[in-house]
Amino acid sequence: MKWMINSEHVGMMIRDYLKEYQRFSRRILTAVKLEGKILINGIPQTVRYSLKEGDLLEISFPKEQVGEYMVKDEMDLSIVYEDDSVIVVDKPAGIATIPSLHHPTGTVANGILGYYEKHNIPYTIHVVTRLDRDTSGLLLIAKHRYSHSLLSTAQKAGKIKRRYKALVEGDLMKDSGTINAPIDRKEGSIIERMVKETGKRAVTHFKVEKRLPLHTLVNIQLETGRTHQIRVHFSHINHPLAGDDLYGGKTDYIKRHALHCYKLAFEHPFTKEYIQLESNLPSDMKELL
C-alpha cells in the first residue's frame, strides 16, 4: 500500500497517520512493525517518523500464512467479483463456507485456496459474510488482513447489506413485517438455536413477493446477523422455511432449506466505490414458483 503525504498530515507520526486516516487496527499495526516493512521514499523508517509533505509512505504487510491443516482443493467456483482486496463467490447449496473438524475439505475456503495457488495469489482466507452449508448465494471474502479488518468494521456498523429470498411454508397473512425476537442456543444442542428471552437481540424484516398454493416467497433484510436467524424466526411464527427439517419444515418439495442470499452491497474498503451484486434464484427454488 502506498500513500503520498500532503500538507494536512505534515508532522504526524506514521503510527498516528495509519491509525487515524488509514484505519489500521492495533493488531495490524503491530504485525507491520514486527514482520512487515515501513518505507518513506524507499528508506526504512519506524512508526515514530514524523511525516513531511511529499513523502511517499509505503507499507508492506507480513506474508499471509495458510493454516497448517487447510487443504487446497480444485473446485469450479462461481466468482462474480474480484480485485486485489476482495473476492465474491456465488455459493451453491450443499457446500460449507469453511472447513470443520469432520469436514476438512470440499468447502468454499478450500476451493479459494486452490484458486489462489493456481493463479499465484499470495493470500489466505478471511471470510466476511458466512453462509450455512445449505444456504446458497453471495459470499464476501477479504483477500488479506487489512481489507478484512476494514470490512469487519463495516459489517459491525451495519454497512454491508445482504438481502435474501426464502420460500416459507403456508400463506403469510401480512404483506410485510418485522420479526423482533431474541435468539439463543437450544439447550442440549450445539447446532440448533431458538427464540429465548435471554438470547441476543435479533431483528428480521420481510416483504411478501409471491403467494403460492403451499408456500410464500419472501424478500428478507436482516437488521442483525445471528446464527440461523432467518430459519429460527420464520419457524417461530409458524412458517418454517420449506425443506428446513431442523426447524420444522417439510422436505416433500425441496431437500434443503429454501434460502438464497441474492443481493450483496458494500463500500469498497479502499476505492470507496459502492459495489452492488445480485445472484439469480437457484433452480431448486425456481421449480417451486
Side-chain angles (χ1 to χ4, degrees), residues 178-184 193-197 199-205 221-230 232-233 236:
T178 296
I179 307 169
N180 187 342
I183 292 175
D184 205 347
R193 302 297 194 271
M194 64 182 294
V195 169
K196 196 174 181 181
E197 289 186 4
K200 294 181 179 179
R201 177 176 177 268
V203 181
T204 302
H205 307 286
Q221 172 74 60
L222 293 181
E223 187 172 316
T224 56
R226 308 302 174 201
T227 301
H228 296 180
Q229 179 172 317
I230 293 172
V232 172
H233 270 174
H236 177 66

Short mmCIF file of all heavy atoms in Angstrom, two decimals, residues 178-184 193-197 199-205 221-230 232-233 236:
data_model
loop_
_atom_site.label_atom_id
_atom_site.label_comp_id
_atom_site.label_asym_id
_atom_site.label_seq_id
_atom_site.Cartn_x
_atom_site.Cartn_y
_atom_site.Cartn_z
N THR A 178 -41.97 -7.22 10.54
CA THR A 178 -40.69 -7.35 11.24
C THR A 178 -40.84 -8.38 12.34
O THR A 178 -41.81 -8.36 13.10
CB THR A 178 -40.26 -6.01 11.85
OG1 THR A 178 -40.04 -5.06 10.79
CG2 THR A 178 -38.98 -6.16 12.66
N ILE A 179 -39.88 -9.29 12.39
CA ILE A 179 -39.83 -10.26 13.48
C ILE A 179 -38.72 -9.82 14.42
O ILE A 179 -37.55 -9.80 14.05
CB ILE A 179 -39.55 -11.69 12.96
CG1 ILE A 179 -40.55 -12.07 11.87
CG2 ILE A 179 -39.60 -12.70 14.10
CD1 ILE A 179 -40.19 -13.34 11.13
N ASN A 180 -39.11 -9.44 15.62
CA ASN A 180 -38.14 -8.96 16.62
C ASN A 180 -38.21 -9.93 17.81
O ASN A 180 -39.09 -9.82 18.66
CB ASN A 180 -38.50 -7.54 17.05
CG ASN A 180 -37.45 -6.92 17.95
OD1 ASN A 180 -36.62 -7.62 18.54
ND2 ASN A 180 -37.47 -5.61 18.09
N ALA A 181 -37.29 -10.89 17.82
CA ALA A 181 -37.32 -11.92 18.85
C ALA A 181 -35.90 -12.40 19.13
O ALA A 181 -35.19 -12.82 18.21
CB ALA A 181 -38.18 -13.10 18.40
N PRO A 182 -35.43 -12.32 20.39
CA PRO A 182 -34.05 -12.70 20.72
C PRO A 182 -33.77 -14.18 20.48
O PRO A 182 -34.66 -15.03 20.65
CB PRO A 182 -33.93 -12.34 22.20
CG PRO A 182 -35.34 -12.36 22.70
CD PRO A 182 -36.20 -11.91 21.57
N ILE A 183 -32.55 -14.48 20.09
CA ILE A 183 -32.16 -15.85 19.75
C ILE A 183 -31.02 -16.33 20.64
O ILE A 183 -30.06 -15.59 20.89
CB ILE A 183 -31.77 -15.96 18.27
CG1 ILE A 183 -33.00 -15.74 17.38
CG2 ILE A 183 -31.12 -17.30 17.95
CD1 ILE A 183 -32.70 -15.71 15.90
N ASP A 184 -31.12 -17.58 21.08
CA ASP A 184 -30.09 -18.18 21.92
C ASP A 184 -29.91 -19.64 21.49
O ASP A 184 -30.69 -20.16 20.69
CB ASP A 184 -30.50 -18.12 23.40
CG ASP A 184 -29.30 -18.16 24.34
OD1 ASP A 184 -28.18 -18.47 23.87
OD2 ASP A 184 -29.49 -17.88 25.54
N ARG A 193 -30.70 -23.34 17.31
CA ARG A 193 -30.98 -22.11 18.02
C ARG A 193 -32.48 -22.00 18.25
O ARG A 193 -33.27 -22.68 17.60
CB ARG A 193 -30.48 -20.89 17.22
CG ARG A 193 -28.98 -20.90 16.89
CD ARG A 193 -28.14 -20.87 18.14
NE ARG A 193 -26.74 -20.55 17.86
CZ ARG A 193 -25.79 -21.44 17.59
NH1 ARG A 193 -26.11 -22.73 17.52
NH2 ARG A 193 -24.54 -21.06 17.38
N MET A 194 -32.88 -21.11 19.14
CA MET A 194 -34.30 -20.94 19.42
C MET A 194 -34.55 -19.52 19.92
O MET A 194 -33.64 -18.82 20.37
CB MET A 194 -34.76 -21.95 20.47
CG MET A 194 -34.11 -21.77 21.83
SD MET A 194 -34.63 -23.01 23.04
CE MET A 194 -36.36 -22.59 23.21
N VAL A 195 -35.80 -19.09 19.78
CA VAL A 195 -36.19 -17.80 20.36
C VAL A 195 -36.27 -17.97 21.87
O VAL A 195 -36.91 -18.89 22.37
CB VAL A 195 -37.55 -17.34 19.79
CG1 VAL A 195 -38.09 -16.16 20.59
CG2 VAL A 195 -37.40 -16.96 18.33
N LYS A 196 -35.58 -17.08 22.57
CA LYS A 196 -35.48 -17.19 24.02
C LYS A 196 -35.27 -15.80 24.60
O LYS A 196 -34.46 -15.01 24.08
CB LYS A 196 -34.31 -18.11 24.38
CG LYS A 196 -34.30 -18.63 25.79
CD LYS A 196 -33.17 -19.65 25.94
CE LYS A 196 -33.11 -20.24 27.32
NZ LYS A 196 -31.98 -21.22 27.44
N GLU A 197 -35.96 -15.48 25.67
CA GLU A 197 -35.88 -14.13 26.26
C GLU A 197 -34.46 -13.75 26.65
O GLU A 197 -34.09 -12.58 26.62
CB GLU A 197 -36.80 -14.03 27.48
CG GLU A 197 -38.28 -14.01 27.13
CD GLU A 197 -39.15 -13.77 28.36
OE1 GLU A 197 -38.58 -13.55 29.45
OE2 GLU A 197 -40.38 -13.82 28.22
N GLY A 199 -31.80 -14.55 25.10
CA GLY A 199 -30.92 -14.55 23.93
C GLY A 199 -30.49 -13.16 23.50
O GLY A 199 -30.83 -12.15 24.12
N LYS A 200 -29.75 -13.11 22.40
CA LYS A 200 -29.27 -11.85 21.85
C LYS A 200 -30.32 -11.26 20.91
O LYS A 200 -31.08 -11.97 20.26
CB LYS A 200 -27.96 -12.08 21.08
CG LYS A 200 -26.80 -12.50 21.97
CD LYS A 200 -25.53 -12.70 21.15
CE LYS A 200 -24.36 -13.11 22.03
NZ LYS A 200 -23.12 -13.33 21.24
N ARG A 201 -30.33 -9.94 20.86
CA ARG A 201 -31.30 -9.23 20.01
C ARG A 201 -31.19 -9.72 18.56
O ARG A 201 -30.09 -9.85 18.01
CB ARG A 201 -31.02 -7.74 20.07
CG ARG A 201 -31.90 -6.88 19.19
CD ARG A 201 -31.61 -5.41 19.40
NE ARG A 201 -32.39 -4.56 18.52
CZ ARG A 201 -31.97 -4.14 17.32
NH1 ARG A 201 -30.74 -4.46 16.90
NH2 ARG A 201 -32.75 -3.37 16.57
N ALA A 202 -32.34 -9.99 17.96
CA ALA A 202 -32.38 -10.46 16.58
C ALA A 202 -33.60 -9.85 15.89
O ALA A 202 -34.72 -9.99 16.38
CB ALA A 202 -32.44 -11.98 16.53
N VAL A 203 -33.38 -9.18 14.75
CA VAL A 203 -34.45 -8.48 14.05
C VAL A 203 -34.40 -8.83 12.57
O VAL A 203 -33.37 -8.68 11.91
CB VAL A 203 -34.35 -6.95 14.22
CG1 VAL A 203 -35.49 -6.24 13.49
CG2 VAL A 203 -34.34 -6.57 15.71
N THR A 204 -35.53 -9.30 12.04
CA THR A 204 -35.65 -9.69 10.64
C THR A 204 -36.82 -8.94 10.00
O THR A 204 -37.94 -8.99 10.51
CB THR A 204 -35.91 -11.20 10.52
OG1 THR A 204 -34.85 -11.93 11.16
CG2 THR A 204 -36.00 -11.63 9.07
N HIS A 205 -36.56 -8.24 8.89
CA HIS A 205 -37.60 -7.55 8.14
C HIS A 205 -37.95 -8.37 6.90
O HIS A 205 -37.06 -8.93 6.25
CB HIS A 205 -37.14 -6.16 7.72
CG HIS A 205 -36.63 -5.31 8.85
ND1 HIS A 205 -37.46 -4.74 9.78
CD2 HIS A 205 -35.36 -4.97 9.20
CE1 HIS A 205 -36.73 -4.05 10.66
NE2 HIS A 205 -35.45 -4.19 10.32
N GLN A 221 -34.59 -8.75 4.72
CA GLN A 221 -33.46 -7.90 5.09
C GLN A 221 -33.16 -8.10 6.57
O GLN A 221 -34.05 -7.93 7.41
CB GLN A 221 -33.79 -6.43 4.84
CG GLN A 221 -32.74 -5.44 5.35
CD GLN A 221 -31.48 -5.41 4.50
OE1 GLN A 221 -31.54 -5.10 3.32
NE2 GLN A 221 -30.36 -5.74 5.10
N LEU A 222 -31.93 -8.48 6.88
CA LEU A 222 -31.54 -8.67 8.27
C LEU A 222 -31.07 -7.36 8.88
O LEU A 222 -30.29 -6.64 8.27
CB LEU A 222 -30.42 -9.71 8.38
CG LEU A 222 -30.76 -11.15 8.00
CD1 LEU A 222 -29.53 -12.03 8.19
CD2 LEU A 222 -31.91 -11.67 8.83
N GLU A 223 -31.53 -7.10 10.08
CA GLU A 223 -31.01 -5.96 10.84
C GLU A 223 -29.87 -6.43 11.75
O GLU A 223 -28.96 -5.67 12.07
CB GLU A 223 -32.12 -5.32 11.67
CG GLU A 223 -31.71 -4.03 12.36
CD GLU A 223 -32.88 -3.33 13.02
OE1 GLU A 223 -33.96 -3.25 12.41
OE2 GLU A 223 -32.70 -2.85 14.16
N THR A 224 -29.95 -7.69 12.17
CA THR A 224 -28.88 -8.32 12.96
C THR A 224 -28.49 -9.61 12.24
O THR A 224 -29.16 -10.03 11.31
CB THR A 224 -29.37 -8.65 14.38
OG1 THR A 224 -30.54 -9.47 14.29
CG2 THR A 224 -29.69 -7.39 15.16
N GLY A 225 -27.41 -10.24 12.69
CA GLY A 225 -26.92 -11.42 11.98
C GLY A 225 -26.65 -12.59 12.90
O GLY A 225 -25.51 -13.06 12.97
N ARG A 226 -27.66 -13.08 13.57
CA ARG A 226 -27.49 -14.23 14.47
C ARG A 226 -27.46 -15.54 13.68
O ARG A 226 -28.04 -15.63 12.60
CB ARG A 226 -28.61 -14.28 15.51
CG ARG A 226 -28.83 -12.99 16.27
CD ARG A 226 -27.58 -12.54 17.00
NE ARG A 226 -27.77 -11.23 17.61
CZ ARG A 226 -26.79 -10.43 17.94
NH1 ARG A 226 -25.52 -10.79 17.75
NH2 ARG A 226 -27.04 -9.26 18.50
N THR A 227 -26.81 -16.53 14.24
CA THR A 227 -26.76 -17.84 13.62
C THR A 227 -28.18 -18.38 13.40
O THR A 227 -29.00 -18.37 14.32
CB THR A 227 -25.97 -18.83 14.51
OG1 THR A 227 -24.64 -18.33 14.69
CG2 THR A 227 -25.92 -20.22 13.89
N HIS A 228 -28.45 -18.82 12.16
CA HIS A 228 -29.74 -19.41 11.79
C HIS A 228 -30.91 -18.44 11.98
O HIS A 228 -32.06 -18.86 12.10
CB HIS A 228 -30.03 -20.69 12.59
CG HIS A 228 -29.08 -21.80 12.33
ND1 HIS A 228 -29.18 -23.03 12.96
CD2 HIS A 228 -27.99 -21.89 11.52
CE1 HIS A 228 -28.20 -23.82 12.55
NE2 HIS A 228 -27.46 -23.14 11.68
N GLN A 229 -30.63 -17.13 11.97
CA GLN A 229 -31.66 -16.16 12.34
C GLN A 229 -32.94 -16.27 11.50
O GLN A 229 -34.05 -16.33 12.05
CB GLN A 229 -31.11 -14.74 12.23
CG GLN A 229 -32.14 -13.65 12.56
CD GLN A 229 -31.54 -12.27 12.64
OE1 GLN A 229 -30.47 -12.08 13.21
NE2 GLN A 229 -32.21 -11.29 12.06
N ILE A 230 -32.80 -16.28 10.18
CA ILE A 230 -33.98 -16.34 9.31
C ILE A 230 -34.77 -17.63 9.56
O ILE A 230 -36.00 -17.61 9.70
CB ILE A 230 -33.57 -16.23 7.83
CG1 ILE A 230 -33.00 -14.83 7.55
CG2 ILE A 230 -34.75 -16.53 6.91
CD1 ILE A 230 -32.38 -14.68 6.16
N VAL A 232 -34.80 -19.61 12.23
CA VAL A 232 -35.42 -19.62 13.56
C VAL A 232 -36.62 -18.69 13.62
O VAL A 232 -37.68 -19.04 14.16
CB VAL A 232 -34.38 -19.24 14.64
CG1 VAL A 232 -35.04 -19.05 15.99
CG2 VAL A 232 -33.30 -20.31 14.73
N HIS A 233 -36.47 -17.49 13.06
CA HIS A 233 -37.55 -16.52 13.14
C HIS A 233 -38.82 -16.97 12.41
O HIS A 233 -39.94 -16.81 12.93
CB HIS A 233 -37.08 -15.18 12.61
CG HIS A 233 -36.48 -14.30 13.67
ND1 HIS A 233 -35.87 -13.09 13.41
CD2 HIS A 233 -36.40 -14.47 15.03
CE1 HIS A 233 -35.45 -12.55 14.54
NE2 HIS A 233 -35.75 -13.37 15.53
N HIS A 236 -40.47 -19.65 14.26
CA HIS A 236 -41.10 -19.09 15.46
C HIS A 236 -42.50 -18.57 15.18
O HIS A 236 -43.39 -18.64 16.04
CB HIS A 236 -40.21 -17.97 16.01
CG HIS A 236 -40.77 -17.26 17.19
ND1 HIS A 236 -40.96 -17.87 18.42
CD2 HIS A 236 -41.18 -15.96 17.35
CE1 HIS A 236 -41.46 -17.00 19.27
NE2 HIS A 236 -41.62 -15.83 18.65
#
